[in-house]
Amino acid sequence: MFIKVCGLKTKEQIDKAIEYGYDAIGVVTYPKSKRYCEPKVAIELANYAKGRIKTFVVGMTFEDVKEAADFFDFTQIYEVTQVPNLALSSKEMPPSDLDYHYFFYDASIGSGVFEEFPDWVKEIAGEIILSGGLNQDNICAVIRDLKPFGIDISSGVEKDGVKDLGLMKEFIAIARNC
């Protein structure tokens, strides 16, 4: 099971994500996000994590991530456009002619609100990373029912809008033992 934690803003959070066994981290450079990290800081975090954990720069469009994209392993955006190392996020089935490394199903579009997953998600469950409102209470049911390739957590490991290291540790332990 591939597990990514998104919205990290500090080196300490990266260190803990690695220590706890996450497979990847996300750094958000979308200016309207409460998890926003300015590109200069995002690049520092990418360089700090390089070679230790997979890194994703996250935004709504390529415009949001373009300053930092070359420093990250993957570019995760909600815009259907061909860019190098694309990780497409959407609540729609991905276009068959788009070349991407990862597909993140996220009906919440980064808001962290959980919604039931559409039936077509089960058809591509082996190739999909599920996100949007996942937490300690619903993750095992999602994994059992949909058997995704991976999961992506953000708001589910936050207290008052800030990453909580204890919740990060608890979530991955639960997810790995479902």
Side-chain angles (χ1 to χ4, degrees):
M1 171 74 52
F2 177 91
I3 304 177
K4 174 179 164 262
V5 59
C6 196
L8 301 189
K9 296 173 82 171
T10 69
K11 291 177 180 177
E12 178 188 25
Q13 291 169 344
I14 293 170
D15 289 339
K16 291 300 182 182
I18 294 166
E19 177 185 328
Y20 298 157
Y22 284 89
D23 299 292
I25 57 130
V27 177
V28 178
T29 57
Y30 173 56
K32 295 180 181 177
S33 172
K34 65 182 174 183
R35 296 170 191 93
Y36 174 71
C37 203
E38 64 181 70
K40 182 178 125 183
V41 174
I43 291 166
E44 289 174 16
L45 294 176
N47 287 334
Y48 182 76
K50 189 146 236 55
R52 300 169 54 211
I53 193 169
K54 289 181 181 176
T55 59
F56 291 71
V57 62
V58 182
M60 295 302 289
T61 67
F62 186 69
E63 186 67 27
D64 298 330
V65 302
K66 71 179 183 182
E67 286 182 61
D70 289 343
F71 296 88
F72 284 81
D73 298 318
F74 300 97
T75 298
Q76 183 179 342
I77 55 177
Y78 290 81
E79 175 183 29
V80 177
T81 187
Q82 196 63 66
V83 298
N85 302 314
L86 176 63
L88 179 64
S89 288
S90 181
K91 63 180 181 177
E92 304 295 331
M93 189 177 285
S96 59
D97 62 343
L98 188 66
D99 183 25
Y100 57 87
H101 289 270
Y102 294 99
F103 176 69
F104 289 78
Y105 176 82
D106 182 10
S108 76
I109 309 176
S111 70
V113 176
F114 183 80
E115 291 185 23
E116 291 300 319
F117 295 94
D119 289 339
W120 64 261
V121 167
K122 292 178 184 177
E123 297 170 20
I124 60 170
E127 303 173 3
I128 194 166
I129 298 170
L130 302 177
S131 61
L134 300 177
N135 59 44
Q136 291 83 339
D137 298 328
N138 64 21
I139 193 57
C140 285
V142 167
I143 290 172
R144 274 193 307 271
D145 294 347
L146 300 170
K147 298 172 183 52
F149 164 76
I151 53 176
D152 186 11
I153 186 76
S154 188
S155 62
V157 291
E158 292 178 351
K159 281 186 182 169
D160 301 321
V162 177
K163 290 294 176 273
D164 181 276
L165 300 178
L167 289 176
M168 282 175 57
K169 186 175 185 177
E170 180 183 337
F171 179 84
I172 196 164
I174 291 169
R176 293 263 186 234
N177 291 301
C178 290

